[in-house]
């Protein structure tokens, strides 16, 4: 894989400390945390590695989506947080050197990309908590009433919805489908660890029509 590394926020130090031979000759471009179009768009090419948080990765994926570049761009990821939901979801290494080697030399494999109806992209995990309302995963009722939390991430069918009920004895139900729609009392979605700017009474996550070309293990 050729291209460049987008080092988001403090991730430039992480990339430098990885001391990876695979990095030889590959430019590293420092960009702000959760970079926008001014920082990302001029740097987009056939391949890109994002070093940073899940929210940083989501910001870059959003620019690829907006520029209609998902089908033609290979994406590698070097998580700066060992607890990365993206790394856990797609079995990516969290050691910086291993993650950088994979991102620069591995093969792209298609994975589902999850969007929301507010114009965003979910790279790792989305959370709604607490929730009182009615939610559907495709045509199945996933929630009617109260839930301690609802977590959503990408899956084989499109997305996976985990509904957790109960305060003391927690009960979890898991649903898989192409879309999750919720109508509820005001709650604030948390997207890849970042709270949405305002509370919402309706929220939808759904699988995008194109997959993400992500560098990941076989």
């Amino acid at each position: 894989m050729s291209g460049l590394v987008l080092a988001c926020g403090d991730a430039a130090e992480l990339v430098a400390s990885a001391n990876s031979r695979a990095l030889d000759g590959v430019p590293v471009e420092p960009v702000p945390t959760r970079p926008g179009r001014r920082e990302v768009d001029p740097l987009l090419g056939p391949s890109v590695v994002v070093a940073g948080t899940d929210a940083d990765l989501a910001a870059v994926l959003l620019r690829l989506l907006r520029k209609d570049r998902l089908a033609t761009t290979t994406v590698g990821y070097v998580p700066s947080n060992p607890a990365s939901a993206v790394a856990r979801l797609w079995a990516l290494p969290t050691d910086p050197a291993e993650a950088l080697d994979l991102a620069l030399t591995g093969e792209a494999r298609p994975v589902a990309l999850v969007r929301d109806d507010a114009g965003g992209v979910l790279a790792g995990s989305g959370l709604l908590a607490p929730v009182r309302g009615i939610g559907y995963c495709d045509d199945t009722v996933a929630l009617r009433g109260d839930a301690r939390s609802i977590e959503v991430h990408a899956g084989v069918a499109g997305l996976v919805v985990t509904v957790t009920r109960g305060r003391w004895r927690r009960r979890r139900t898991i649903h898989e489908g192409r879309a999750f729609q919720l109508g509820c009392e005001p709650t604030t979605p948390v997207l890849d660890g970042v709270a949405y700017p305002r509370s919402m009474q309706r929220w939808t996550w759904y699988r995008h029509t194109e997959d993400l070309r992500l560098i990941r293990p076989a």
Side-chain angles (χ1 to χ4, degrees), residues 1-14:
M1 173 183 173
S2 60
L4 82 162
V5 177
L6 294 179
C8 304
D10 296 332
E13 297 179 7
L14 180 77

Side-chain angles (χ1 to χ4, degrees), residues 139-190:
D139 296 327
T140 301
V141 177
L143 173 70
R144 189 183 299 274
D146 296 316
R148 181 185 183 93
S149 66
I150 297 175
E151 184 177 358
V152 172
H153 60 76
V156 175
L159 50 79
V160 177
V161 182
T162 302
V163 180
T164 302
R165 297 176 175 85
R167 176 174 296 182
W168 308 115
R169 298 182 61 183
R170 299 183 183 182
R171 295 174 289 114
R172 291 183 172 89
T173 56
I174 298 176
H175 306 269
E176 296 186 55
R178 295 190 66 86
F180 174 72
Q181 301 177 63
L182 176 70
C184 61
E185 294 182 358
T187 189
T188 302
V190 177

